[in-house]
Amino acid sequence: MKKLIKIISEYSKTHLDKNNDWYNWREINEDKLPLGIFLPKGNQYTKNLVLKYELNKKWEESSNLEDKFILIKYYIATWGGIHTNSSESMNEYTTMPANELIKKGKKGIASWSKALVVHNPNKYTIFDARVAISLNCIQELYEINEKILFPVLSSRNKIVATGNKLIKKIAKIEGWKIAYEENFYTQYLRIIKTVAEQLGTDISTIEMLLFAKAEELVAKVFKDEVKTKENR
């Protein structure tokens, strides 16, 4: 894991700057911000970073489950674009403590990890298909000897989906270790936290970088198979 931390730190160092304009995935519709949240002027990196802390601030201030549900649903469905969760699942993401949500493993992680960010963005960060493929591709790109295959999550993005298929084949051929479902998320958090501390930034910034660079990393590792970038 030390080697993985080192390469993610080295990779991040080459991209982080005062603007971080590499994060431009989706423009926030500020008309849909919940419970009076207001975002400052700035690029999408700045707005998304502030959004995490504003959601958490409202979460801490809210004394009723209805408001907390609104915040969770906004971040998962409105902001995150995940509309497949049942009301029961949304209620779990609102009421269950972090340790219980983490026990779910990879099931629903793209949703429940967003809920954890609302709970505490200083301690938790998002894990989804784009982050996962970046973690896996960066190991192949930098040729780590003992590679760990983080959970490969389904994606509607064609490049990420292609990368998922190809990285699983490579992992099987090269005999990668499989990350344990019981603790891969906490392992991921330790990696991100250590990198953030080394670079004097926050865990959300490192996660956002991995998220934003998913397609680029897939294209670098599988340059013969991925020749064009998909329009988002």
Side-chain angles (χ1 to χ4, degrees), residues 50-197:
V50 171
L51 175 62
K52 296 172 190 283
Y53 289 96
E54 287 299 309
L55 288 168
N56 172 250
K57 181 180 178 181
K58 291 293 184 182
W59 174 270
E60 295 291 342
E61 292 174 349
S62 298
S63 57
N64 63 79
L65 286 177
E66 183 179 354
D67 283 351
K68 290 181 181 290
F69 184 92
I70 288 171
L71 294 167
I72 295 296
K73 185 175 181 180
Y74 166 80
Y75 204 42
I76 292 175
T78 306
W79 179 87
I82 303 175
H83 302 284
T84 55
N85 286 294
S86 64
S87 295
E88 181 182 2
S89 292
M90 284 294 191
N91 281 323
E92 286 185 349
Y93 301 149
T94 303
T95 59
M96 289 179 70
N99 63 317
E100 291 298 319
L101 289 174
I102 292 171
K103 285 180 182 178
K104 289 179 173 290
K106 69 179 182 180
K107 183 180 179 181
I109 191 169
S111 293
W112 64 249
S113 63
K114 290 180 178 67
L116 290 186
V117 171
V118 177
H119 293 187
N120 188 342
N122 291 311
K123 189 174 182 180
Y124 304 108
T125 190
I126 297 169
F127 187 99
D128 61 11
R130 296 176 69 93
V131 171
I133 193 62
S134 289
L135 284 171
N136 289 327
C137 280
I138 206 169
Q139 294 179 79
E140 185 67 17
L141 185 65
Y142 284 82
E143 300 180 345
I144 290 181
N145 292 328
E146 295 185 4
K147 302 182 182 72
I148 301 171
L149 184 67
F150 285 87
V152 176
L153 306 178
S154 62
S155 175
R156 291 173 293 179
N157 181 288
K158 292 180 181 179
I159 293 179
V160 173
T162 298
N164 283 342
K165 293 178 182 178
L166 295 171
I167 205 71
K168 284 195 290 186
K169 288 182 181 179
I170 284 182
K172 186 175 181 179
I173 292 169
E174 297 182 351
W176 291 26
K177 293 181 179 179
I178 306 298
Y180 293 113
E181 179 145 359
E182 296 81 7
N183 65 0
F184 79 86
Y185 180 72
T186 54
Q187 185 180 31
Y188 158 69
L189 288 180
R190 286 197 299 271
I191 292 169
I192 299 301
K193 181 180 179 181
T194 303
V195 172
E197 289 174 349

